[in-house]
Amino acid sequence: MALADVLAGVPKGSPEEAISRRLDFDRLPKHVAIIMDGNGRWAAERHLPRVEGHRAGIDSVRDTVETSARLGLSVLTLYAFSVENWKRPVPEVSALMGLLRHYLRAELKTLLKNNIQFRVIGQLDRLSPDVREELEAAVARTATNTGMVFSIALSYGGRAEIVDAARQAIIRGIAPEALDEDVFSSFLYTAGQPDPDLLIRTSGEMRVSNFLLWQIAYAEIWVTDTFWPDFRARHLLEAVADYQRRDRRYGAVSSDPVGATN
Ligand code: FPP
């Protein structure tokens, strides 16, 4: 994918086009992870029930998946439902699961057409069998796709993932001296994927909320005040442009100590 693919999906003369033209397509983040937040506040501002915020958030999911695939990202991970979200009222949880199923039914064809591989990470055994079956079917249908991996974090908790990985390492009989960071990573839900280079959070909150705790060790963080239902291609492109202005040091000294390119 490249500039032409992105331009084909944005209006001519738009801010999206201008940002896209300034991007360096050789220095894109491989993995972008997003904490979708602010659906409830978006709905409250409009005197609507919270679930309407989640419903409107589906359009943002669609737009973000499409733009990410056009950009040529390797992995896009969206935080849809945390282990803590099980504490929400039952009708809100049911509505979220219903929206997820609706999204999958409506979008599976598009995912297949765009060669997108769909995955789910989290404690899936806590989901109801019908939701799990639908997710597993979508994962199986797209398993041989070779384009972008679109991963949904569902019933997901970063600490729970780390504990699950530790359990797996013990079950597989990994000897203490054989356990290093690479071996440990191979037991995470994201095994085989590059760690997120860019973590985006909407609605202005400065928290990581138990999301991909191990994997975001060196991620660049970009926060926007925009509520998730208003998040569109322009915001994603702005985040990537900002990412490209950062000097990633991974704890080492600056490669650009005078800030000449910053
Ligand atoms: C956070 O807003 C958002 C969620 C907990 C759910 C996100 C889910 C969707 C957008 C729909 C389904 C997803 C997919 C991937 C198809 P919040 O309710 O915490 O908002 P608030 O902080 O303003 O209350």
Side-chain angles (χ1 to χ4, degrees):
M1 299 280 171
L3 177 61
D5 298 287
V6 181
L7 292 183
V10 300
K12 260 195 174 329
S14 63
E16 290 87 334
E17 178 182 341
I19 305 167
S20 307
R21 288 193 183 280
R22 286 198 297 270
L23 291 180
D24 177 351
F25 281 77
D26 293 326
R27 283 195 317 117
L28 289 172
K30 282 194 173 65
H31 184 169
V32 173
I34 307 184
I35 302 174
M36 307 183 284
D37 195 15
N39 294 356
R41 278 162 286 168
W42 183 93
E45 274 186 353
R46 290 159 179 77
H47 308 288
L48 294 169
R50 291 176 58 78
V51 62
E52 292 309 318
H54 299 318
R55 198 187 310 283
I58 296 279
D59 290 337
S60 312
V61 170
R62 200 176 289 118
D63 204 48
T64 302
V65 171
E66 183 186 326
T67 308
S68 300
R70 285 181 186 273
L71 269 169
L73 301 187
S74 302
V75 187
L76 171 71
T77 303
L78 300 185
Y79 200 6
F81 193 85
S82 69
V83 281
E84 291 78 20
N85 288 155
W86 286 114
K87 292 182 218 144
R88 291 195 178 199
V90 171
E92 185 177 343
V93 172
S94 309
L96 272 168
M97 295 302 159
L99 284 171
L100 182 72
R101 295 177 75 183
H102 170 79
Y103 170 84
L104 282 179
R105 280 182 207 151
E107 294 301 309
L108 187 58
K109 259 195 202 143
T110 312
L111 298 180
L112 287 165
K113 197 178 90 200
N114 292 309
N115 196 23
I116 293 171
Q117 195 185 120
F118 176 71
R119 292 194 199 166
V120 199
I121 56 170
Q123 297 192 324
L124 306 185
D125 51 340
R126 294 179 70 180
L127 300 171
S128 69
D130 50 341
V131 173
R132 214 167 50 223
E133 272 164 30
E134 197 133 354
L135 288 165
E136 281 163 2
V139 170
R141 288 281 304 278
T142 62
T144 54
N145 286 352
T146 54
M148 184 182 81
V149 170
F150 166 37
S151 187
I152 292 187
L154 203 59
S155 185
Y156 175 87
R159 287 185 172 181
E161 178 184 23
I162 291 170
V163 172
D164 280 351
R167 276 203 195 108
Q168 284 303 317
I170 293 165
I171 291 168
R172 304 278 177 86
I174 303 295
E177 60 278 11
L179 191 61
D180 60 16
E181 291 184 9
D182 286 340
V183 173
F184 192 79
S185 295
S186 72
F187 292 108
L188 294 170
Y189 307 150
T190 52
Q193 293 178 6
D195 286 339
D197 305 289
L198 174 61
L199 172 69
I200 295 174
R201 179 163 191 149
T202 59
S203 92
E205 309 285 354
M206 301 287 181
R207 290 191 286 275
V208 294
S209 297
N210 202 13
F211 187 40
L212 300 174
L213 293 181
W214 173 282
Q215 297 90 333
I216 61 168
Y218 289 103
E220 295 295 325
I221 301 179
W222 190 83
V223 177
T224 173
D225 286 337
T226 304
F227 293 146
W228 177 251
D230 290 327
F231 189 92
R232 286 293 179 274
R234 180 169 63 79
H235 303 97
L236 178 63
L237 295 167
E238 274 171 10
V240 172
D242 193 60
Y243 164 85
Q244 293 191 333
R245 289 191 289 270
R246 309 269 181 101
D247 178 21
R248 300 188 80 195
R249 292 194 292 273
Y250 301 96
V253 290
S254 173
S255 56
D256 177 26
V258 292
T261 59
N262 269 350

